Amino acid sequence: QVQLVESGGGLVQAGGSLRLSCVASGSIFSINVMAWYRQAPGKQREVVAIVTEGGSANYADSVKGRFTISRDNAKNTAYLQMNSLKFEDTAVYYCYALIRATMRVSGVDYWGQGTQVTVSS
């Protein structure tokens, strides 16, 4: 079985920084895509940032220039460095990964449990 475990959320003042981590564990042959999503109260879950196995990254317009996604393939870990945080960044942040358990199977979507990020204005 595969598990994604996030950490690093918390309460921070506007303008501050937080770093989220997501560790994938279990039966893993390869991880194609890792990403961070977020869901604010009363809103739909939205993609924040995506990083491929090769390190190519894309970001939502709302976080460009403030957030940086990265990954350590040897540790099956993704990170989200969040700087210049705004009140509107308040949400539950979820880690996502597309994981192949063996060379012979297709990738499967996995989600973490989520970590709360609260930005006080």
Side-chain angles (χ1 to χ4, degrees), residues 39-106:
Q39 187 167 18
K43 294 188 177 181
Q44 288 189 330
R45 190 175 296 189
E46 62 176 2
V47 62
V48 175
I50 299 171
V51 62
T52 67
E53 190 171 9
S56 296
N58 283 285
Y59 299 90
D61 287 343
S62 59
V63 306
K64 280 181 182 176
R66 300 188 298 121
F67 290 11
T68 301
I69 189 171
S70 61
R71 61 189 283 177
D72 184 332
N73 292 331
K75 297 181 179 180
N76 291 332
T77 300
Y79 305 96
L80 186 67
Q81 178 67 44
M82 304 184 294
N83 299 327
S84 303
L85 282 161
K86 304 176 180 180
F87 175 75
E88 50 265 39
D89 294 319
T90 297
V92 177
Y93 284 70
Y94 296 91
C95 179
Y96 162 86
L98 180 63
I99 296 175
R100 295 172 69 188
T102 72
M103 195 166 82
R104 299 182 178 182
V105 299
S106 300

